[in-house]
Amino acid sequence: MSLKAKDLTGIKELDVEDIELILETAAGFKDVLGRDIKKVPALRGKTAVNLFYEPSTRTRTSFELAAKRLSTDVVNFSVSTSSVVKGESLRDTALTIQALGADLIIVRHPCSGAPHFLARYLDASVINAGDGTDEHPTQALLDLLTMREKRGAIKGLEVAIVGDILHSRVAKSNIYALSKLGAGVRLIGPPTLVPPFMEEVGATIFSDMDAGLEGADIIMMLRIQMERQGKGFFPTKEEYFKNWGLTARRLMRARKNAVVMHPGPMNRGVEIASDVADGQRSAILEQVTNGLAVRMAVLYLLSGVKQ
Amino acid sequence: MKVLIVNGVVIDPSQDVEGVCDILIEGGRIKEVRKRKSAKTLKNRKAESPIAAAPDSEIIDATGMFVLPGLVDMHVHLREPGFEYKETIKTGTTAAVRGGITSVCCMPNTNPVNDNSSVTEFIRKRAMQEGACSVFPVGAITKGQKGEELAEFTMMYEAGCVAFSDDGRPVMDSLMMRRALEYSRVLGVPVISHCEDLSLSAGGVMNEGLLSATLGLKGVPSQAEEVIVARDVALAELTGGRLHVAHVSTARSVEIIRAAKKRGIADITAETCPHYFSITEEAVRDYDTNAKVNPPLRRKQDVEAVREGLRDGTIDVIATDHAPHHADEKEREFDFAPSGISGFETSIGLSMKLVDDGVLSLAKLVGKMAFCPSKIVGLSKGTLKTGSEADVTIVDTKKEYEVDTGKFVSKGRNSPFGSWMLHARPAVTICKGRVHKWK
Amino acid sequence: MQLPSHITLAVPKQAGLRMAKKLLDKKDIERMITRMTHQIIEKNKGTRSLCLVGIQRGGVHLARRLSARMKEIEKKDVPVGTLDIALYRDDINVRKEQPVVRRTELHCTVDNKKVILVDDVLFTGRSIRAAMDAIMDFGRPAAIQLAVLVDRGHRELPVKADFVGKNIPTSLKETVKVQFEEEGNEDRVVLE
C-alpha cells in the first residue's frame, strides 16, 4: 500500500483513505517499538535529511529516531550553521541535498507553503514538519492515533481545541483531520486568537471556556507563545490562565472519561495546570510515543518506488 | 513610410467609427481613413480600395481582423534605471508592442526614483533611442517616494512627465496627499493614487479571508484599499485636484468611486487591470507566486463588481500594471517573493473576453484601452483621426492560442495565465514609424 | 437431448478466464494437518519448548490448527503467535507499493525455544528468509523448523521445509492458493 502523493505536505492534501492507512500502519509500528530490538531493516539504504529552518528538538528528534528505527541513514541539516546563512536560496539548498542522494526530506520552515514549493522541485519525498502557520500534519496524525486508542472511533467525538488557534499549525492540521473523519470541533480562546473564518470549516467557536468544554470528549491544549503577549493579543499570562487555562475544576465540565492532550512543550500554569498535565486523564506522554510510530509509518509509506 | 491597411474592421471610438475601412499611413501619420465595401479576394481588396495609395506603399491585408488605434497603457513598470535585471526600457517596450500597446506611462519606482527632471530626461532619452513604442514617464509625488516632501512637479512636467504617482507605495500622510492634489492643479495633470493603508496591510501577502487562514498566509483585508480610496475621493472633493485611482480591485472601492462620480463634485477617474477582472484569490491556492500581486487577487464578488464597474463606466481605463520580476525572485517561499504580474502580452487577450462575455462592446473596450487613458494623461493618442501619429494595432480574434510564458518577449515571465487559451492577439502593430508583424 | 454417458464435451476455455483447479479439499487438508502434527511431535520428542509462529497472512490459520491438534493429541498447550515479515522483505526497493504492515504477536519468548515457522505455501523461500531474520531480532532460538502445507518448488534460496503437507510441482505461470474456512471459503487448495 502507498499514499497517493509522493509527499506529505499537509492534511488538506490527504483523503480519508490515506489517513486510515497511515493510522493502521502506525499501529503496526507500535509493536516494533515494544520489542527489545526496536529496529527493522525495512528502509535500509535509504537516506533521510532533516532540513529544519526553525529550531526544534522534539520534532526533529522524533523524526530522527523514527528514521533510525527503520534502519534509514539520517542527516541533520541545521540551518544556522550552514550555507543558508551565506544566502543560499531554499531551492538551491534542497537541490543540493537531493544531489547528495536524499530519498526523504523532512522540512520545518517559518514560511507557509515552503514544503509545497520544495515538493514541486524535488524527486525526493518531502515531509512537512511544520510550515509557518499553515500545517503540522504528523502532529495531527499522532493526535488522531492517540484519540482513537483512548476513545475509539473518531466519528462523533467532540473535540475542544483551546488556545492560540490563529497562529497554530497544529490546530489547523487537527481541524482539517477531525473534519474529514467526522468529529465535532470546538475552538476556544480569546477572540483575538480565534479567526472567525474557522466557522466556515464547520467548527464552533467559544470564548467562554466552561461553556465550550461542556460534554467534550477530548481537550487539546495549545501552547501560548509568550511572544504574542506584547502584540495586544491578550494582556497578561495571569489573565490568560484565569480565562482559558485548563484547571482540574474546569476539566470536570467535560465528559467523565475526557482525555487531555497537548502537543508540547507545555507552559505549566499558563495554558494548563500542573496537576492536570500530570493527572490520570492526560495522554500527553502517549502522544510522544505515538508520534514516533506515526512518523515511522509516514516514512515507510512514502518510500515505495516512485512512478 | 507608406502603408495601406485594407479591408479591416476599424473600431475608433474617438471618432465614432465602426466598420470596414481602409487606412492610409504616410510619413508616420494617418493620412486617410475611408469606409469601403468588403472584398473577397486580395486582388480586389487592393483594387477596390477607395484610397489611392502610392504604388510603392506596403499593403497590409487586415481582412477578418480589427484595426484599432494603438493601445495606451497608462500604468507600467519598465524597471530602468536601476532594476535592469528585471526589465529594461528596450525589452519592456518591445513586449508592449507585441501586446499591441504603442504608448506606455512608466511609474517612478525605479532606482534612483524618478523624482526629479534628470531622471525623467534619462528615461525619455533612453526611450527615444531604444524604446519600441512611445514612453511617457510618471513622476513621483514625493521625494524618494518617502511620503515626506513634495517632488518638483513642474520641473518634471517640463522634462516630460504626464502625471504624478508614488505607485508601489501609497502617500500615507493625508496632509501630503492633500497638498499634492492642490499643487497638481497648477499643471492640470492627474495624481495617480496607489490606494493601500500600510498599517492595515502590514505583512500581508494575499487577500484576507478563509483562504488566507487555510493557507497560513498573512492576509490584506479589502478595507486596506477602500479606506484610502474613500480618503482620496474626499481629498479630491476638497482640493479640486484630478484624482486617478490605480488598480481598483474590490467591490467596495467600485461603490465608493461610483457614488463619488454621481455626486459630480470632483474630477475622478479610475483604472483596473486584467487580473482583477479575470481571476480570484483561488489562483494562490497552491502557493503560486505568479499570482502574488499588490493589491492582491480578491474574491469572486469583487471580480463581479469590477466587471460591473467597467460596464457602467465607473472604471474608465484598463491598464496592465505590468510588473516584471526575475525568475529567481519569484521562485521562492511565497512570503519572500515580490508582488507583480508581467501583463503586456496577455492584456488584449484577457480584455477581449469582456467583449465575449457581453460586459463591454468592442468600441467601449477600445475606449478603455486607448482613447480614455490617452485623454486622462493629456496625450493625443488612442485615435485614428487624420493627422495623428500612426499608432495602429491590428488584432486577430479568430485564432485560439495557448499562453506560453516561456515565449514571452518581456524579461518577466511571471504570469498566472500560463496555459490559458485566449483568442485575441495583435497580428500587426505600427508605431514609431515601424511595422511589426507576427504570424 | 441427453448425451450418452461415454461422450463428454470439452468445455471451451473462455478467453481471459483462468481455470481454477481444485487440488485438495477439506478432508485432504484435515488429514495432512493431523499427519504433520504427529511428525512435529515425533521429531521433537514431545511439545516441550515448542513455539508455533504463523507467517502473516497465509500461515496464521494453519499454525492455530496445528496447535489445536497438538493439544488434542498431547494434551499440552503449545503457544501460537503471528509474525509479520513486511518490514524484512528483500524486495522493498523494487515493488511499486509498500507491503501492508500487519500485527506481530509471538505470545512466547524466543530465547532457547524451538520455533516452528508455519506458512501455507513454500515457493522461492524468500519469505522464510525474511521470517528467520525477523525471529532473530526477537532473541536466540534453540532451533528453527519449517512447516508448510504445500511445497510448490522453484526455490531461489537454500531453504527446505521440515514438515510438508503435500509436494505439488507447478510451472512458474501457475499460482497455488490455500483457502481456509476461517476466512469465509471452505478449506481447499486451488491451482490457478
Side-chain angles (χ1 to χ4, degrees), chain A residues 12 90-91 109-114 116-117 120-121 131 133-134 172 176 195 197-198 200-201, chain B residues 208-210 212-218 285-289 328 330-336:
Chain A
K12 286 197 285 295
L90 177 62
R91 184 168 147 245
H109 197 287
C111 290
S112 302
H116 306 71
F117 172 78
R120 277 201 285 267
Y121 283 100
D131 65 326
T133 53
D134 177 39
K172 299 246 189 73
Y176 305 140
F197 304 120
M198 283 305 166
E200 291 179 53
V201 197
Chain B
E208 183 180 289
L210 177 60
S212 67
T214 308
L215 294 175
L217 294 172
K218 191 147 194 302
R285 194 173 270 279
D286 286 326
Y287 299 100
D288 183 2
T289 55
D328 287 348
K330 280 286 198 175
E331 256 163 50
R332 55 180 319 184
E333 302 90 317
F334 198 89
D335 286 333
F336 301 147

Side-chain angles (χ1 to χ4, degrees), chain A residues 1-2 24-25 27-29 31-32 35 37 39-44 46 70 300-301 303-305 307, chain C residues 83-84 86-89 92-105 134 136-139:
Chain A
M1 297 304 294
S2 284
E24 272 162 40
T25 311
F29 278 109
D31 279 346
V32 175
R35 303 179 194 169
I37 296 189
K39 202 175 168 107
V40 290
L43 297 188
R44 201 166 58 98
K46 298 274 186 190
L70 293 168
Y300 175 74
L301 289 169
S303 293
V305 172
Q307 301 306 325
Chain C
L83 179 69
D84 179 59
L87 302 173
Y88 290 84
R89 295 179 68 106
I92 282 181
N93 283 340
V94 289
R95 289 171 68 100
K96 279 203 172 152
E97 292 185 335
Q98 295 296 64
V100 179
V101 176
R102 297 198 165 86
R103 309 309 303 239
T104 292
E105 291 166 281
M136 292 307 189
D137 273 353
F138 281 90

Side-chain angles (χ1 to χ4, degrees), chain B residues 240-386:
Chain B
R242 288 182 59 200
L243 173 70
H244 178 82
V245 180
H247 42 53
V248 171
S249 75
T250 87
R252 223 172 272 116
S253 295
V254 175
E255 268 169 47
I256 295 170
I257 297 167
R258 185 180 285 128
K261 282 186 168 184
K262 203 159 170 211
R263 283 198 299 277
I265 303 174
D267 188 341
I268 297 172
T269 53
E271 86 194 15
T272 190
C273 311
H275 33 280
Y276 301 120
F277 58 73
S278 307
I279 46 180
T280 65
E281 56 182 357
E282 281 294 319
V284 172
R285 194 173 270 279
D286 286 326
Y287 299 100
D288 183 2
T289 55
N290 285 322
K292 182 175 178 185
V293 66
N294 187 17
L297 299 173
R298 306 284 187 183
R299 312 158 304 165
K300 195 151 175 280
Q301 306 96 297
D302 298 301
V303 171
E304 308 279 347
V306 165
R307 288 164 76 100
E308 180 56 27
L310 282 166
R311 201 193 61 76
D312 75 2
T314 305
I315 301 177
D316 310 87
V317 167
I318 294 172
T320 60
D321 194 4
H322 175 78
H325 289 290
H326 194 280
D328 287 348
E329 297 174 302
K330 280 286 198 175
E331 256 163 50
R332 55 180 319 184
E333 302 90 317
F334 198 89
D335 286 333
F336 301 147
S339 296
I341 291 178
S342 173
F344 280 149
E345 295 160 79
T346 48
S347 181
I348 186 72
L350 292 168
S351 302
M352 191 59 68
K353 278 172 169 278
L354 293 170
V355 177
D356 296 340
D357 294 341
V359 177
L360 293 173
S361 64
L362 188 48
K364 279 239 158 71
L365 182 71
V366 175
K368 294 197 200 276
M369 293 182 80
F371 191 45
C372 284
S374 172
K375 264 201 312 194
I376 291 172
V377 292
L379 301 172
S380 46
K381 298 276 186 186
T383 174
L384 295 171
K385 262 202 197 90
T386 322

Side-chain angles (χ1 to χ4, degrees), chain B residues 148-159:
Chain B
E148 290 161 10
E149 289 175 69
L150 278 186
E152 296 162 328
F153 280 20
T154 51
M155 306 232 286
M156 285 194 281
Y157 178 76
E158 267 153 39

Side-chain angles (χ1 to χ4, degrees), chain A residues 191-304:
Chain A
T192 45
L193 293 178
V194 184
F197 304 120
M198 283 305 166
E199 271 170 338
E200 291 179 53
V201 197
T204 323
I205 297 182
F206 293 85
S207 35
D208 178 343
M209 186 162 177
D210 289 273
L213 287 182
E214 204 68 50
D217 297 289
I218 309 274
I219 305 165
M220 192 181 295
M221 302 304 298
L222 298 176
R223 195 175 82 81
I224 280 299
Q225 291 152 75
M226 299 314 294
E227 320 80 85
R228 309 275 172 230
Q229 223 189 318
K231 301 216 179 106
F233 288 102
F234 58 88
T236 60
K237 57 182 199 263
E238 289 77 16
E239 168 108 355
Y240 183 86
F241 185 69
K242 178 168 179 302
N243 286 299
W244 298 287
L246 184 62
T247 57
R249 186 193 60 76
R250 276 215 171 101
L251 185 51
M252 291 201 285
R253 288 289 200 127
R255 283 220 136 91
K256 268 223 191 75
N257 54 354
V259 178
V260 175
M261 295 171 57
H262 192 302
M266 293 184 275
N267 286 322
R268 287 167 184 265
V270 180
E271 65 255 6
I272 187 168
S274 267
D275 56 347
V276 175
D278 301 326
Q280 269 187 338
R281 313 248 225 108
S282 161
I284 295 174
L285 291 175
E286 273 123 303
Q287 283 175 276
V288 178
T289 312
N290 287 340
L292 206 35
V294 157
R295 288 166 182 139
M296 285 173 78
V298 168
L299 290 167
Y300 175 74
L301 289 169
L302 287 177
S303 293

